[in-house]
């Protein structure tokens, strides 16, 4: 085990990898579910659309501990999904983070889709475009907002504490390797134990990851804008 002073690098790296894995998979799953929902709600007019939109917006404020409690009940041995034995595993954390990230991704993506002018859609249909062609056009026009939605969802996922603590159990294996301990839960634990140096190191790593993700989004936006002007 390699350490530097009071900092255990094995501990820091394993926690960082768990956080990246859980958050990235959760946002990927949220994207597969949420982007089609945003497109369907944004394109179609149906009875109760305003209610659906309101529910999606309300979901952005879901208390994380309540989500964690619901997932805990679902995955417990007496729960409907207890047969899969997922409680206190990274997969349980992915489920809870997906539930929390999904409304954020759908709501922001929906706003981006609805901001595309109706005239543009009508012109595409008039030019002989199919529904798929128009959908792709709208996605292209709303791409900045969709990227913003992905970044917002990732920020919600990677900064989560309450639900992952409940369903993940904050477990560290022998050898100081994390099983379900994330950067946020580790910061909480280390601060309570008085390990301020380790807590600060974890906080710096978390902040660096968030800044890196936002830098990637800004780079994508700048490159796309440059390409659009050529």
């Amino acid at each position: 085990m390699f350490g530097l002073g009071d900092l255990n690098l094995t501990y820091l790296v394993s926690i960082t990898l768990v956080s990246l894995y859980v958050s990235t998979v959760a946002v990927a799953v949220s994207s597969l579910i949420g982007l089609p929902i945003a497109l369907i709600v944004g394109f179609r007019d149906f009875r109760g659309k305003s209610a659906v939109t309101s529910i999606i917006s309300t979901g952005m404020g879901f208390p994380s501990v309540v989500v964690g409690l619901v997932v805990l009940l679902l995955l417990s041995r007496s729960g409907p999904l207890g047969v899969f034995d997922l409680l206190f595993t990274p997969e349980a954390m992915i489920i809870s983070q997906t539930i929390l990230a999904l409304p954020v991704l759908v709501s922001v993506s929906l706003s981006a889709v609805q901001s595309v002018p109706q005239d543009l859609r009508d012109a595409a249909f008039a030019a002989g475009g199919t529904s798929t062609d128009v959908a792709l056009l709208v996605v292209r026009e709303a791409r900045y907002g969709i990227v913003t939605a992905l970044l917002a969802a990732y920020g919600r996922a990677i900064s989560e504490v309450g639900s992952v603590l409940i369903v993940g159990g904050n477990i560290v294996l022998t050898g100081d390797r994390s099983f379900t301990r994330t950067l946020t839960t580790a910061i909480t634990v280390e601060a309570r134990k008085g390990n301020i140096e380790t807590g600060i190191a974890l906080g710096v790593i978390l902040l660096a990851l968030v800044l890196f993700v936002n830098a990637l989004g800004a780079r994508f936006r700048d490159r796309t804008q440059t390409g659009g002007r050529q």
Side-chain angles (χ1 to χ4, degrees):
M1 182 168 53
F2 177 71
L4 181 62
D6 293 331
L7 297 180
N8 185 330
L9 295 187
T10 300
Y11 179 67
L12 296 178
V13 171
S14 66
I15 288 173
T16 302
L17 291 177
V18 169
S19 293
L20 287 173
Y21 167 71
V22 170
S23 299
T24 302
V25 174
V27 173
V29 174
S30 299
S31 301
L32 293 175
I33 300 172
L35 291 179
I37 292 175
L39 289 174
I40 291 172
V41 176
F43 270 102
R44 297 178 181 272
D45 291 322
F46 53 89
R47 180 177 296 179
K49 180 176 180 177
S50 60
V52 171
T53 304
S54 298
I55 291 172
I56 292 172
S57 299
T58 302
M60 296 178 65
F62 278 163
S64 62
V65 290
V66 174
V67 172
L69 180 60
V70 171
V71 176
L72 176 69
L73 295 175
L74 291 173
L75 300 182
S76 64
R77 294 195 176 186
S78 59
L81 302 179
V83 65
F84 297 107
D85 198 22
L86 294 176
L87 194 58
F88 304 133
T89 66
E91 288 70 28
M93 298 159 66
I94 289 171
I95 293 172
S96 67
Q97 286 195 355
T98 298
I99 295 173
L100 289 169
L102 184 60
V104 176
L105 191 144
V106 174
S107 183
V108 179
S109 297
L110 179 59
S111 296
V113 169
Q114 291 178 331
S115 68
V116 177
Q118 183 63 41
D119 292 345
L120 184 63
R121 307 183 194 187
D122 295 339
F125 277 120
T130 64
S131 297
T132 301
D133 294 330
V134 177
L136 292 175
L137 175 63
V138 170
V139 169
R140 182 179 182 279
E141 293 298 317
R143 61 191 180 278
Y144 303 139
I146 292 174
V147 170
T148 300
L150 291 170
L151 294 177
Y154 199 89
R156 178 73 194 268
I158 202 168
S159 63
E160 174 51 32
V161 182
S163 68
V164 296
L165 186 62
I166 293 173
V167 302
N170 203 28
I171 300 171
V172 176
L173 304 176
T174 55
D176 291 329
R177 294 187 179 275
S178 170
F179 180 59
T180 60
R181 181 169 292 182
T182 64
L183 287 167
T184 51
T185 58
I187 291 171
T188 302
V189 170
E190 298 302 333
R192 288 178 178 174
K193 291 165 60 177
N195 297 333
I196 303 301
E197 184 177 354
T198 302
I200 291 174
L202 292 165
V204 169
I205 293 172
L206 179 60
L207 180 60
L209 290 175
V210 173
L211 291 175
F212 176 72
V213 170
N214 281 277
L216 286 179
R219 182 172 177 79
F220 168 83
R221 182 170 57 251
D222 293 342
R223 289 184 63 182
T224 306
Q225 288 175 337
T226 301
R229 289 194 295 266
Q230 292 177 349

